[in-house]
């Protein structure tokens, strides 16, 4: 075995270097402490927690701010940009956002059109004009991966180390940046918008909505803010149907639900790509539509009509399922910002709807078949009596709906002596502001329906239909229409309501006889509901709950913001404009429905090209109460213009499915203190003797799965197929979890648009 030996010399050397064990023999003790060192320079204190963020909870919590003085995008000077980014911390304060690694710049400018074709002012995308694409990336490396995987040059993005959340972008490649308009006019209006990528929440999950800066409109030469002369459609107009993306300032309204490109949120953003330069590159006649914004938007929204007329082809066939919910000719539904829509008439915008017009030959262009080689002559005709406002009858419906008025004066009951009684209603009639001549009948004016809607009102304010009578063939005398019909005497007691269902023909702001116009408008008569007490006229009658604003959570104004008028979407069916008219049929006492079976589209078509539908097993309905009828139609279980696809996803409804305030009043409270509905409705009748619970039935309009049905039942609901014979059902326990303010309240789980 090998042994190691220590020599005397080694021991001496060991002691010489100061090992105390060798000097005093006390092995293991420390030597004397050394002299203290010189203190180091104090370090810079770290920033307090929450003073910066690198994640946000929602897109609205991130804000990127630009200033005109910090942007160079025109002329010979080198490109540069500076901006600040903030995000909300845990306290809800806006603090610097650090660590951005990729943004994209969209730069457009407004230029005068020097040709006789197109709009007077045009949008020009700087990057498109420089043949670089629609935008330019900025990254810390000056390189980026574009769609398709190719590496492209990018501006170099640097965060200011001394000012977290402040970023500078410069161009470090040959030439100037592609978003610079070298020959542009610095006195014209420029628009800059920034899209930010790769931002997550605190859990590392990507933010679902796009992070887009508020578009900055300015004059580079002066640095002054500017207002576009072209924005004839505001984002607020689109929000009327497409819901509002909540969380942004009132001056920065954003659209919540545009499917294309996963939503660019503002009209001002859409034109960055959908402008003449892009259209010139992409406009293929075989596509069937022009991608320039003005023409494209008209074609999209007219899609359902154009499909019916057989006027769609190519890619435009995709728009066949778009059913514009208002009148197509009501230009002001969208054009809410200025008069450009009627003062700048040119072919490109017109053929978005008038797709069958051939301007080369003049085919389809008015009765005179006028060919037009350019737009120089358009305004020669389309002023005065042929202006877009007149030929499109803009605003006429609102006027025409007040031109035939039914004012109910009184009712009487006469006992017939056989168990029936005659109900007589006297109605004052005015046509175009005047009393009609004696002997006038309403028949020539009526295009649909033509009846009085009359029913009882029970002790809880529920309408009970069945006392209606026709007005056809009845002559007017002294301006009074007198109609009579007999009913079971037991029905003619207590309180009743009287209103009407009548569509009449109209043109040029007046009600007309239908034979006097080839294509008249169809408008509802004005027939404000009135109530009468048949037992004692001196005692105020009971009114239906639909006449009590405190018990109604929906808003006709909300409906009309998208539909224009309630008459329009039901033009082929009803002549009504108020919920109090709808209630005559759509109430909780009226079982049966024309659409008992929920269906979906399979994705296949039949021999004629029509979509094939199939039933959703186990999902049937047995009543037509307005609350469920409205939910079902807009969720797609009725089918038609709004439908469920093969994945049971709603197609065709323009708003967010969870945006209750698209129809309901702002801040509406759905649940009463006892957990029932605010309306007081406690059951819905589904047969002559059976009733089901109202809350679950409303929710089931959208939540149609078997698990949802089981959830309703387990929480005390009486559901379709297991109805009760009592109308006095116990209140469901839905409000325990889903009342407003609860953790799972409808105001939270259905927070449409992010609010």
């Amino acid at each position: 075995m090998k042994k190691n030996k220590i020599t005397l010399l080694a021991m001496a050397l060991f002691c010489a270097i100061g090992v105390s064990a060798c000097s005093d023999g006390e092995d293991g003790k420390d030597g004397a402490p050394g002299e203290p060192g010189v203190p180091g320079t104090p370090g810079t204190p770290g920033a307090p927690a929450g003073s910066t963020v690198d994640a946000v909870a929602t897109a609205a919590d991130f804000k990127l701010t630009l200033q005109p003085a910090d942007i160079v995008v025109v002329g010979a000077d080198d490109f540069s940009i500076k901006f600040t980014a903030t995000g909300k911390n845990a306290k809800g304060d806006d603090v610097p956002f650090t660590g951005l690694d990729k943004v994209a710049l969209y730069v457009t400018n407004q230029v005068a059109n020097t040709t006789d074709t197109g709009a007077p002012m045009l949008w020009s995308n700087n990057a498109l004009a420089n043949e670089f694409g629609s935008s330019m990336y900025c990254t810390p490396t000056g390189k980026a991966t574009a769609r398709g995987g190719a590496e492209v040059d990018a501006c170099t993005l640097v965060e200011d180390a001394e000012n977290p959340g402040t970023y500078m972008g410069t161009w470090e490649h040959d030439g100037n940046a592609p978003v610079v308009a070298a020959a542009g006019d610095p006195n014209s209006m420029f628009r800059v918008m920034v899209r930010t990528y790769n931002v997550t929440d605190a859990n590392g999950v990507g933010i679902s909505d796009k992070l887009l800066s508020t578009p900055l409109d300015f004059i580079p030469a002066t640095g002054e803010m500017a207002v576009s002369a072209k924005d004839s459609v505001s984002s607020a107009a689109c929000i009327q149907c497409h819901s509002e993306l909540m969380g942004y300032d009132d001056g920065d309204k954003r659209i919540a639900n545009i499917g294309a490109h996963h939503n660019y949120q503002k009209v001002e953003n859409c034109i960055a790509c959908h402008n003449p330069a892009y259209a010139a590159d992409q406009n293929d006649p075989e596509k069937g539509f022009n991608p320039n914004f003005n023409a494209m938007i008209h074609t999209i929204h007219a899609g359902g009509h154009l499909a019916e007329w057989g006027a769609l082809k190519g890619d435009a066939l995709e728009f066949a399922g778009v059913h514009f919910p208002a009148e197509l000719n009501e230009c002001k539904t969208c054009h809410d910002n200025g008069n450009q829509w009627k003062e700048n008439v040119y072919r490109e915008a017109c053929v978005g709807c008038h797709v069958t017009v051939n301007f080369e030959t003049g085919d389809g262009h008015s009765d005179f078949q006028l060919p037009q080689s350019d737009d120089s002559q358009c305004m020669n005709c389309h002023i005065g009596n042929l202006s877009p406002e007149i030929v499109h009858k803009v605003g006429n419906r609102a006027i025409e709906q007040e031109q035939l008025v039914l004012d109910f004066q009184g009712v009487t009951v006469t006992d017939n002596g056989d168990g029936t009684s005659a109900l007589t209603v006297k109605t004052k009639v005015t046509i175009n502001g005047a009393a009609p001549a004696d002997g006038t009948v309403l028949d020539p004016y009526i295009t649909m329906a033509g009846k009085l809607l009359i029913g009882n009102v029970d002790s809880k304010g529920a309408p009970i239909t069945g006392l209606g009578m026709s007005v056809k063939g009845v002559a007017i005398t002294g301006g009074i229409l007198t109609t009579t019909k007999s009913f079971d005497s037991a029905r003619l007691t207590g309180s009743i309501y009287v209103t009407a269902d009548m569509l009449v023909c109209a043109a040029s702001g007046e009600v007309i006889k239908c034979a006097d116009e080839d294509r008249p408008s169809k408008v509802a008569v004005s027939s404000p509901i009135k109530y009468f007490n048949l037992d004692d006229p001196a005692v105020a009658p009971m009114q239906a709950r639909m006449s009590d604003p405190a018990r109604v959570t929906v808003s006709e104004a909300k409906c009309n913001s998208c539909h224009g008028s309630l008459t329009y979407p039901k033009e082929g069916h009803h002549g009504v404009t108020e919920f109090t008219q709808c209630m005559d049929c759509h109430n909780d006492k009226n079982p049966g429905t024309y659409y008992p079976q929920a269906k979906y589209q399979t994705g296949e078509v039949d021999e004629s090209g029509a979509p094939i539908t199939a039933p959703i097993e186990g999902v049937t309905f047995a009543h037509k109460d307005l609350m469920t009828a409205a939910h079902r139609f807009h969720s797609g279980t009725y089918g038609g213009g709004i439908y469920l696809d093969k994945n049971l996803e709603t197609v065709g409804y323009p708003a967010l499915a969870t945006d209750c305030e698209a129809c309901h009043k702002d801040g509406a409270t759905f649940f009463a203190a006892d957990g029932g509905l605010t309306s007081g409705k406690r059951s819905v009748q589904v047969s002559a003797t059976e009733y089901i619970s109202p809350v679950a039935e409303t929710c089931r309009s959208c939540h149609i799965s078997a698990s949802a049905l089981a959830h309703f039942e387990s929480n005390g609901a009486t559901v379709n197929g297991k109805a009760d014979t009592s109308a006095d059902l116990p209140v469901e326990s839905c409000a325990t979890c889903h009342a407003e303010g609860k953790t799972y309240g409808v105001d939270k789980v259905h927070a449409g648009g992010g609010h």
Side-chain angles (χ1 to χ4, degrees):
M1 181 177 181
K2 183 178 178 181
K3 296 182 178 180
N4 293 318
K5 297 181 179 180
I6 185 168
T7 65
L8 293 175
L9 179 61
M11 289 184 65
L13 180 60
F14 197 49
C15 291
I17 62 175
V19 180
S20 60
C22 297
S23 61
D24 57 16
E26 295 179 6
D27 187 22
K29 291 185 177 181
D30 294 335
E35 292 293 326
V38 177
T41 303
T44 303
S51 59
T52 64
V53 294
D54 59 6
V56 291
T58 69
D61 290 339
F62 177 88
K63 186 175 183 180
L64 190 150
T65 304
L66 299 155
Q67 297 295 335
D70 298 327
I71 303 170
V72 177
V73 288
V74 62
D77 291 340
D78 290 341
F79 160 80
S80 66
I81 191 169
K82 183 172 78 171
F83 59 83
T84 59
T86 62
K88 290 190 182 300
N89 62 15
K91 295 180 179 180
D93 298 328
D94 290 317
V95 298
F97 190 100
T98 63
L100 292 184
D101 62 6
K102 185 179 181 181
V103 301
L105 306 183
Y106 293 78
V107 183
T108 54
N109 72 102
Q110 199 167 262
V111 299
N113 184 0
T114 59
T115 74
D116 286 329
T117 299
M121 300 292 293
L122 304 174
W123 288 112
S124 174
N125 180 307
N126 292 6
L128 281 170
N130 289 325
E131 299 182 352
F132 188 77
S134 59
S135 63
M136 178 185 75
Y137 293 119
C138 289
T139 68
T141 64
K143 292 287 186 179
T145 301
R147 285 184 298 178
E151 185 178 70
V152 296
D153 289 341
C155 98
T156 301
L157 185 69
V158 177
E159 185 174 4
D160 187 341
E162 301 297 322
N163 297 287
T166 297
Y167 297 83
M168 284 77 70
T170 56
W171 186 255
E172 306 300 329
H173 308 286
D174 291 340
N176 211 346
V179 293
V180 176
D185 180 3
N187 291 295
S188 68
M189 196 203 86
F190 278 67
R191 175 174 290 167
V192 177
M193 181 266 289
V194 181
R195 178 182 177 186
T196 303
Y197 295 83
N198 304 332
V199 173
T200 69
D201 63 17
N203 297 317
V205 178
I207 303 300
S208 58
D209 291 308
K210 282 184 169 64
L211 275 67
L212 304 171
S213 69
T214 304
L216 180 70
D217 293 351
F218 68 103
I219 307 297
T222 63
E224 295 175 325
M225 304 300 284
V227 177
S228 169
K230 280 190 61 62
D231 294 338
S232 65
V233 175
S234 73
S235 296
C238 304
I239 287 169
Q240 292 177 121
C241 292
H242 291 283
S243 294
E244 182 174 358
L245 191 61
M246 304 304 289
Y248 295 91
D249 296 338
D250 287 342
D252 189 20
K253 288 186 177 295
R254 303 193 181 203
I255 307 162
N257 194 44
I258 300 292
H261 319 300
H262 184 54
N263 191 9
Y264 269 88
Q265 302 174 2
K266 296 177 75 73
V267 175
E268 294 91 332
N269 297 336
C270 298
I271 58 85
C273 292
H274 292 283
N275 56 57
Y278 178 75
D281 181 56
Q282 299 291 322
N283 191 12
D284 179 354
E286 293 306 311
K287 289 180 177 289
F289 75 101
N290 179 347
N292 196 11
F293 189 76
N294 50 15
M296 179 187 70
I297 288 299
H298 284 131
T299 302
I300 290 174
H301 288 89
H305 293 279
L306 297 175
E308 292 174 7
W309 303 334
L312 290 181
K313 64 178 181 178
D315 292 350
L317 286 169
E318 179 183 352
F319 310 141
V322 179
H323 295 266
F324 190 54
E327 289 184 280
L328 193 61
N329 60 308
E330 277 289 346
C331 307
K332 283 188 175 181
T333 300
C334 300
H335 289 285
D336 64 339
N337 189 24
N339 294 319
Q340 303 94 319
W341 62 276
K342 61 181 179 180
E343 294 175 348
N344 300 331
V345 180
Y346 52 95
R347 296 168 301 165
E348 184 180 44
C350 298
V351 296
C353 291
H354 299 283
V355 295
T356 58
V357 174
N358 185 329
F359 283 105
E360 298 290 331
T361 63
D363 290 344
H365 184 202
S366 80
D367 295 334
F368 302 103
Q369 302 289 295
L370 296 174
Q372 296 281 91
S373 60
D374 59 35
D375 299 334
S376 60
Q377 303 302 312
C378 294
M379 288 303 295
N380 287 349
C381 289
H382 291 288
I383 56 175
N385 291 332
L386 290 178
S387 74
E389 187 167 23
I390 292 177
V391 297
H392 286 166
K393 304 176 182 178
V394 176
N396 278 11
R397 180 180 291 274
I399 298 171
E400 292 162 354
Q401 286 182 168
E402 300 299 323
Q403 299 309 304
L404 201 160
V405 180
L406 303 181
D407 183 5
F408 308 110
Q409 302 295 294
V411 298
T412 57
V413 176
T414 304
D415 190 343
N416 294 328
D418 59 358
T420 68
S421 295
L423 176 66
T424 299
V425 180
K426 290 188 177 293
T427 306
K428 180 181 178 181
V429 180
T430 56
I431 300 176
N432 298 323
D438 287 354
T440 299
V441 293
L442 295 177
D443 303 43
Y445 300 91
I446 298 172
T447 182
M448 182 75 65
K451 59 185 177 181
L452 302 186
L453 305 176
I454 308 172
N456 304 99
V457 181
D458 72 11
S459 61
K460 296 182 179 179
I464 305 173
T465 190
L467 303 178
M469 58 185 71
S470 175
V471 302
K472 291 184 177 180
V474 181
I476 297 170
T477 302
I480 299 296
L481 175 74
T482 302
T483 52
T484 301
K485 188 175 180 180
S486 292
F487 303 94
D488 187 327
S489 296
R491 289 292 307 269
L492 299 182
T493 62
S495 298
I496 66 168
Y497 61 86
V498 183
T499 181
D501 175 8
M502 192 184 312
L503 273 176
V504 294
C505 295
S508 303
E510 292 188 339
V511 170
I512 63 169
K513 294 180 179 179
C514 297
D516 292 345
E517 179 77 22
D518 289 337
R519 291 188 299 173
S521 299
K522 300 174 183 179
V523 300
V525 301
S526 174
S527 58
I529 192 167
K530 285 192 178 181
Y531 295 90
F532 301 93
N533 189 334
L534 298 182
D535 295 338
D536 186 351
V539 176
M542 168 72 74
Q543 294 196 0
R545 57 172 165 251
M546 291 301 285
S547 290
D548 182 358
R551 299 176 70 182
V552 180
T553 62
V554 286
S555 164
E556 289 161 2
K558 289 288 188 80
C559 298
N560 291 339
S561 70
C562 190
H563 290 292
S565 165
L566 280 176
T567 301
Y568 178 69
K570 305 302 294 180
E571 190 175 90
H573 183 41
H574 292 308
V576 298
T577 59
E578 300 173 4
F579 294 149
T580 50
Q581 295 166 290
C582 301
M583 75 176 187
D584 183 73
C585 181
H586 295 285
N587 61 69
D588 58 0
K589 302 295 185 185
N590 195 1
T593 174
Y594 294 111
Y595 306 98
Q597 177 69 63
K599 299 179 180 180
Y600 70 97
Q601 289 192 9
T602 63
E604 301 176 343
V605 296
D606 61 20
E607 293 180 355
S608 69
I612 296 175
T613 62
I616 303 173
E617 297 299 330
V619 185
T620 59
F621 295 84
H623 66 94
K624 56 181 70 175
D625 190 74
L626 185 60
M627 66 172 190
T628 307
H631 280 100
R632 287 189 62 202
F633 178 80
H634 291 99
S635 69
T637 54
Y638 268 4
I642 302 174
Y643 61 91
L644 295 176
D645 65 14
K646 62 182 179 181
N647 299 315
L648 300 186
E649 296 289 336
T650 300
V651 178
Y653 181 55
L656 290 171
T658 56
D659 185 5
C660 300
E661 289 186 358
C663 302
H664 288 275
K665 297 174 182 176
D666 294 347
T669 301
F670 301 119
F671 293 100
D674 66 354
L677 291 172
T678 296
S679 65
K681 188 182 303 181
R682 295 296 182 263
S683 65
V684 177
Q685 192 167 352
V686 292
S687 76
T689 58
E690 294 179 310
Y691 304 84
I692 60 175
S693 303
V695 180
E697 188 67 357
T698 301
C699 298
R700 195 169 72 92
S701 303
C702 298
H703 300 283
I704 58 178
S705 67
S707 60
L709 185 63
H711 176 75
F712 302 148
E713 291 188 82
S714 67
N715 284 278
T718 301
V719 299
N720 194 40
K722 300 179 181 179
D724 199 301
T725 55
S726 172
D728 189 18
L729 297 177
V731 173
E732 305 143 275
S733 60
C734 304
T736 303
C737 294
H738 299 301
E740 291 82 3
K742 302 282 187 172
T743 301
Y744 298 103
V746 290
D747 55 329
K748 295 183 175 64
V749 298
H750 283 178
H755 64 297

